[in-house]
Amino acid sequence: MTGGGRPRAWFAALGGLMVMLTVLTACAGPYQYYEGTGLHDATAAEVAGDWRNVEGTRVVLRKDGTALLEKLDGQDFDFEDGWRLSGTGTWQLTDDNGGQVVRLALTDRTRVERRFPAPTADPSSPEPPSTYSWFFYVDRDEDDGLVLFFMYGDPDVGNMYLMTRETGS
């Protein structure tokens, strides 16, 4: 009875590794490896202005690099906690190989609200952050106007939090 246990152990280890890799790669959703829009021609002056979304969020990006935020939800999985932050902060337009990104930082939180209908409250959920950072991808719509967006929630769903320019800005 020699030799039969070794191949069996090797196949069992290989099978365990395959199961683990399958589980790990099953979570690789559509935006988990999103590399940007490829846009490189927006200017900070063009990005500055009043931005809103359909949920009542408002972000004012001022030309001096300061920002006003009202009811801005968390990015990625933080969205699921249901908090919405308001306050002041800073922003900057950056550019890399994947395209341009607006980096927004809340530095002075003035209010926390809950999104309605509120997600199921988890008593072990952490307190909403007093400071927070977002990154918005910069893109153009079909009329060549700018849009800002980030991804939120479950990566397998690919939800997009879209901000559009307030009319008249």
Side-chain angles (χ1 to χ4, degrees), residues 45 58 63 87 101 121 125 149 164:
R58 179 177 181 225
K63 291 180 182 181
V101 173
S125 291
F149 68 94
T164 57

Side-chain angles (χ1 to χ4, degrees), residues 125-136:
S125 291
E127 177 69 21
S130 58
T131 62
Y132 194 80
S133 294
W134 294 262
F135 63 92
F136 288 88

